[in-house]
Amino acid sequence: MLFPGGIEATPNATLLFSVAAAIIYLLTVDMGPTLSRTAVKTLSILLLAGLAITQDAPWLLLLALLLSAAGDAFLSRDGELPFMAGLVSFLAAHLAYIVLFLGNGEGLGLLAGEPWRAALALLLVLFAVAMLFALWRPVGSDLRPPVAIYMVALLAMALAALTMRLPLVVCGALLFMASDAMLAWEKFVARPQASYRPLMRRAVWITYYGAQLAIVLAFVLA
């Protein structure tokens, strides 16, 4: 167990229930929208927020998780309005993460001081530009501004993570970028009949939940 007290201790039980909810959602990822499916998806992140509370984690971490849970609830439903609401929720979550990482990191000077961080930052910028270029035409003129703003916030979150010396935070940020990139590709670029779409949906959830879990554990175990 990651925390003292065994499996019956509140932090350990909360973490296990969160992982269990995430696995259940993974098994239902191809089902149509239902309230129970939405509840399981949202619960997996809400339980991570509960874990953060039990460990007196920074309030910005809790805020980011709650905003992410709201985004999950919106994105679990069909339609353009829920999608936009989810986009706004996750945009706000990334802003909370940016402030959290910069407030607990060592500043942008760390990127210049460690070449691997600078190289990774450059790769992330190039990746974000490539993704935005790939999505520009498929998303349509109405969605281009919000998608561009979201991409900038996502990139800023990942760059802010590089100012921290907690490896799990960096891993979480990278997983977040991978998850959002696959989600955008599956939604806007992939053909409806593409054989890889079911696999991509599962990869989106695994990398997304892994990102949130890594970031939470980085702060509660530090």
Side-chain angles (χ1 to χ4, degrees):
M1 294 291 101
L2 290 178
F3 305 96
I7 194 172
E8 69 277 3
T10 299
N12 290 322
T14 303
L15 177 58
L16 289 174
F17 278 122
S18 172
V19 172
I23 293 173
I24 292 172
Y25 180 76
L26 180 64
L27 297 176
T28 64
V29 73
D30 288 326
M31 294 174 56
T34 63
L35 289 178
S36 59
R37 183 170 171 269
T38 297
V40 170
K41 183 180 185 182
T42 307
L43 183 63
S44 63
I45 304 302
L46 287 177
L47 286 169
L48 289 181
L51 175 61
I53 292 174
T54 68
Q55 301 303 298
D56 295 322
W59 69 271
L60 280 168
L61 176 60
L62 178 60
L63 176 62
L65 291 168
L66 293 177
L67 289 168
S68 297
D72 286 331
F74 288 127
L75 292 181
S76 69
R77 317 304 296 176
D78 289 335
E80 184 174 335
L81 185 58
F83 173 77
M84 289 303 300
L87 194 68
V88 171
S89 296
F90 275 108
L91 174 62
H94 287 316
L95 294 177
Y97 274 134
I98 291 169
V99 178
L100 174 66
F101 296 159
L102 292 179
N104 289 273
E106 298 185 19
L108 296 177
L110 186 61
L111 301 184
E114 298 186 6
W116 73 268
R117 293 179 187 268
L120 183 54
L122 178 60
L123 288 175
L124 290 174
V125 171
L126 294 176
F127 178 76
V129 171
M131 278 302 303
L132 191 57
F133 180 79
L135 293 171
W136 198 250
R137 181 175 294 179
V139 299
S141 58
D142 291 342
L143 286 179
R144 284 170 188 164
V147 167
I149 293 171
Y150 182 84
M151 187 65 70
V152 170
L154 179 64
L155 174 62
M157 182 274 297
L159 296 178
L162 287 173
T163 69
M164 297 195 65
R165 291 195 180 276
L166 296 176
L168 280 175
V169 169
V170 178
C171 290
L174 295 178
L175 287 172
F176 233 130
M177 286 203 73
S179 177
D180 281 357
M182 288 188 289
L183 176 63
W185 190 273
E186 193 267 337
K187 182 174 180 63
F188 296 112
V189 180
R191 295 181 178 179
Q193 298 81 16
S195 59
Y196 60 82
R197 292 189 73 173
L199 180 62
M200 182 171 281
R201 283 193 288 268
R202 287 166 174 78
V204 167
W205 177 249
I206 291 172
T207 50
Y208 165 72
Y209 181 78
Q212 299 281 29
L213 179 61
I215 293 171
V216 170
L217 291 180
F219 279 92
V220 302
L221 296 177

